[in-house]
Amino acid sequence: MTATALQTSADSAVLAAPVVAPMSLDELVEQHGLVTGETLVRARLVQAETGERFAAILTRLGLVSEAALASAAAQATGLPLAAAVDFTGLPVAVDRVSERFLREFKAAVLRVDDGVCNVAVVDPFDPYPVSAIALALGLRVRVSIGRSSDIESAIDRAYGPATAAAAAVDDAADEADLERLKDLASDAPAIRAINRLITGAVEQRSSDIHLEATEDGIVVRFRIDGEMRTVETLPAAMRAPLVSRIKVMAGLNIAERRLPQDGRLRLAVRGHDIDLRVATSPTINGESAVLRLLDRSNLTLDFAALGFDPAVLVKLRDTLALPNGIVLSTGPTGSGKTTTLYAALSELNAPSRKILTIEDPIEYRLAGINQMQVNPTIGLDFATALRSFLRQDPDVIMVGEIRDIETAQVAVQAALTGHMILSTLHTNTAASAVTRLLDMGVEPFLIASTLSAVLAQRLVRRLCPVCREAYDPPVPVGDVTTLYRAVGCGECDHTGYRGRIALVEFLVIDPVIAKLVLARAEARDIAAASAATSMYADGIAKARAGLTTIEEVLRVTRENGE
């Protein structure tokens, strides 16, 4: 039998063949307006250089979404779209159909029903793969349209992950695979996976997405209300595509896999603008990445909403109303210091004031305020920026962090010359901020004359108001007889908590404290002489009010030594 006869015989075995005018996939894309003419030319050039199938190029480079391509093909041919459930069956005919053939032609053998083989293809205008499968199996074939990623996943389940893709993923030392990494970053599965993770993190109110490389995969974890939760584990073949995709989105060097990198990007998710801070780092199992989500639409810059007690608020606002001085926010990483400073800037922000900030990085953009990002590579650090600010006649200056004696001295000088300075320090208590400045080398008399107040804070999980439950503690906590505990419901994703609230301690540098500063007193002596309510006492008050649990209060204040 001739090749033509074989082809004719195979074609006769294809069921539900479309009745359409002859068309190619690129004609379909052009006629349906899925890409512009210029983009189509680009895709054809890539095809000429690589010899790849046109459908693979369109989706791999992100020129056309898989869903749009499949929908247009189904509309043009009258063939059905293969649903996700169609790809979940057991592997079929792995011993009679070549894996290489299926991958090349983007086709998947889904199942056999009553002597009919169901096959999904990306390009229905190429009759060869369907005819070849019909000949190889000796069965009639029913054709449907599938998305490229679904077909690839079905092939992976039948034959195992593609060895070529695995080699490109695991070969982290060879710089020659840069182009392949770019391709991996542009693959639809990687794009969809990252978009799905970011969308899921936003919907679950996560503050961070952690992609952690392990020996046999990549673990995805979200930080929700301060706690890490494992979301899923992806196969090892996804490590390089996911991290490469993140690098492309954040404008990082995709070829550099030996050094940590950081960047940022902005996305619209569910109608909200989300800023993401990205940090990648090499590990023994490959690169890991952390994405910090900053949802500007949900940014709360209200002290009361953050959990500040009314009595503390009065003192804080009185301090911020001073014409000059230094106000410090202290606490460990992730304790909400920067959000507190933004809330203070929001209260001070008025047309009558000029406000400048120097930050690392700029977490939120505030209208009406001049914000600057540090750039150590060109010598723009906190101290340099602060000196330049003094020549711009500002009323208020926010310095992201006082890290060294140089920045501290310039901040003191700025306060002495009539400016209000807001900044942060990494200390555990309000009183230890004073001793930290002394340890840096700032003279006691300068601290006593410029430091107005120190706010120390921690974040605890806020009880869900819908399902929290009152109970009488078996052991009395001071004079508290009724406390509340977490239960869990649909509103809080069955965790019992929703959001976080601040425990604060506000130390005002009054004459009594100033004398102790001049005497270089220890932090514990300053704390003992202070009239400030401790974070523990503030936590007990919030636990009594049903805002949090006693366990949460003890968790953060024990770290503080209280």
Side-chain angles (χ1 to χ4, degrees):
M1 186 179 290
T2 65
T4 303
L6 281 172
Q7 180 67 50
T8 303
S9 174
D11 289 345
S12 66
V14 179
L15 302 178
V19 181
V20 293
M23 181 186 288
S24 64
L25 197 64
D26 53 347
E27 290 173 347
L28 171 76
V29 169
E30 190 170 19
Q31 289 180 13
H32 280 68
L34 298 181
V35 297
T36 63
E38 181 181 346
T39 304
L40 199 60
V41 170
R42 175 190 169 196
R44 285 173 176 152
L45 288 174
V46 174
Q47 185 184 32
E49 292 176 359
T50 64
E52 273 187 283
R53 301 258 159 206
F54 195 69
I57 293 171
L58 292 173
T59 55
R60 178 172 61 77
L61 297 181
L63 303 178
V64 177
S65 73
E66 293 182 344
L69 185 64
S71 178
Q75 181 181 349
T77 62
L79 292 172
L81 279 171
V85 68
D86 295 327
F87 293 91
T88 59
L90 295 174
V92 177
V94 294
D95 57 338
R96 287 179 288 170
V97 182
S98 162
E99 172 193 359
R100 180 178 177 182
F101 169 84
L102 294 177
R103 291 193 186 278
E104 180 181 352
F105 288 97
K106 290 287 189 277
V109 181
L110 303 180
R111 64 186 181 278
V112 175
D113 296 326
D114 298 326
V116 176
C117 178
N118 293 271
V119 175
V121 297
V122 171
D123 184 358
F125 303 102
D126 184 355
Y128 175 71
V130 175
S131 300
I133 291 172
L135 283 172
L137 301 183
L139 297 172
R140 293 181 299 166
V141 173
R142 181 177 289 112
V143 183
S144 59
I145 309 295
R147 297 187 305 179
S148 178
S149 57
D150 289 335
I151 290 174
E152 288 172 0
S153 296
I155 298 172
D156 286 345
R157 283 196 300 275
Y159 299 93
T163 54
V169 170
D170 294 331
D171 187 8
D174 186 5
E175 291 298 327
D177 68 358
L178 172 59
E179 291 304 317
R180 186 176 293 275
L181 280 175
K182 289 180 179 178
D183 289 347
L184 287 171
S186 301
D187 273 345
I191 294 172
R192 283 204 318 275
I194 292 298
N195 291 343
R196 174 175 57 82
L197 290 177
I198 293 174
T199 300
V202 171
E203 291 175 344
Q204 296 182 50
R205 301 173 290 102
S206 172
S207 61
D208 303 272
I209 302 172
H210 294 252
L211 304 177
E212 300 169 346
T214 63
E215 186 174 355
D216 55 357
I218 182 165
V219 176
V220 180
R221 300 203 289 169
F222 290 172
R223 185 180 293 278
I224 302 173
D225 295 335
E227 285 203 340
M228 297 288 287
R229 300 182 194 173
T230 299
V231 177
E232 61 181 309
T233 300
L234 299 173
M238 291 295 290
R239 279 200 302 253
L242 290 181
V243 176
S244 297
R245 176 62 185 168
I246 291 169
K247 287 182 176 181
V248 169
M249 295 170 68
L252 304 180
N253 183 357
I254 194 173
E256 180 54 76
R257 286 160 283 165
R258 300 165 300 173
L259 296 173
Q261 297 186 69
D262 59 83
R264 66 183 304 141
L265 64 140
R266 178 178 296 176
L267 293 174
V269 180
R270 304 295 192 205
H272 299 301
D273 283 337
I274 306 295
D275 288 327
L276 294 98
R277 285 168 45 190
V278 177
T280 65
S281 59
T283 70
I284 192 172
N285 294 312
E287 282 188 289
S288 294
V290 177
L291 292 79
R292 169 159 287 190
L293 282 68
L294 307 169
D295 187 351
R296 295 185 297 161
S297 64
N298 288 332
L299 177 62
T300 301
L301 297 181
D302 178 74
F303 285 120
L306 293 173
F308 282 62
D309 182 82
V312 171
L313 264 181
V314 170
K315 295 179 182 178
L316 177 57
R317 285 178 170 137
D318 287 345
T319 303
L320 293 176
L322 296 173
N324 59 277
I326 299 175
V327 178
L328 296 177
S329 177
T330 72
T333 300
S335 60
K337 301 186 299 297
T338 303
T339 302
T340 296
L341 288 186
Y342 278 135
L345 290 176
S346 181
E347 294 225 348
L348 292 171
N349 193 9
S352 59
R353 290 193 180 97
K354 183 176 180 64
I355 302 177
L356 302 174
T357 76
I358 175 66
E359 306 171 55
D360 182 23
I362 298 173
E363 294 197 7
Y364 295 102
R365 289 168 173 79
L366 303 176
I369 295 177
N370 298 278
Q371 297 173 267
M372 183 186 295
Q373 165 91 36
V374 300
N375 189 349
T377 59
I378 61 172
L380 180 61
D381 54 19
F382 285 123
T384 303
L386 191 49
R387 287 194 190 92
S388 72
F389 283 174
L390 297 180
R391 297 189 288 272
Q392 299 181 39
D393 191 28
D395 298 293
V396 180
I397 300 174
M398 193 268 269
V399 182
E401 182 184 350
I402 294 179
R403 298 175 177 172
D404 49 51
I405 180 59
E406 185 180 12
T407 306
Q409 288 175 337
V410 179
V412 166
Q413 185 61 37
L416 288 172
T417 54
H419 303 88
M420 171 59 71
I421 307 297
L422 308 179
S423 190
T424 69
L425 267 181
H426 281 286
T427 61
N428 288 329
T429 65
S432 59
V434 175
T435 56
R436 175 75 178 116
L437 291 174
L438 289 170
D439 291 341
M440 281 185 180
V442 182
E443 293 296 333
F445 73 92
L446 291 176
I447 298 173
S449 58
T450 59
L451 186 61
S452 301
V454 181
L455 177 74
Q457 68 181 70
R458 297 290 190 281
L459 293 177
V460 294
R461 291 182 293 172
R462 186 193 293 264
L463 274 171
C464 174
V466 176
C467 64
R468 66 184 180 184
E469 179 181 80
Y471 72 100
D472 295 330
V475 178
V477 182
D479 61 347
V480 179
T481 57
T482 301
L483 291 171
Y484 295 81
R485 58 188 164 209
V487 177
C489 65
E491 291 293 321
C492 59
D493 197 23
H494 301 284
T495 64
Y497 299 93
R498 186 172 179 84
R500 289 191 287 177
I501 193 171
L503 307 186
V504 301
E505 174 188 353
F506 191 64
L507 171 65
V508 177
I509 310 301
D510 56 22
V512 174
I513 302 300
K515 287 182 180 178
L516 291 173
V517 173
L518 291 171
R520 293 182 177 269
E522 297 288 337
R524 60 176 176 270
D525 298 326
I526 294 174
S530 169
T533 300
S534 69
M535 276 187 281
Y536 175 76
D538 187 40
I540 293 298
K542 288 181 169 66
R544 184 207 305 259
L547 298 176
T548 189
T549 63
I550 189 65
E551 291 81 8
E552 281 290 291
V553 173
L554 293 175
R555 177 177 64 84
V556 300
T557 56
R558 279 174 179 167
E559 296 172 358
N560 206 25
E562 296 191 32

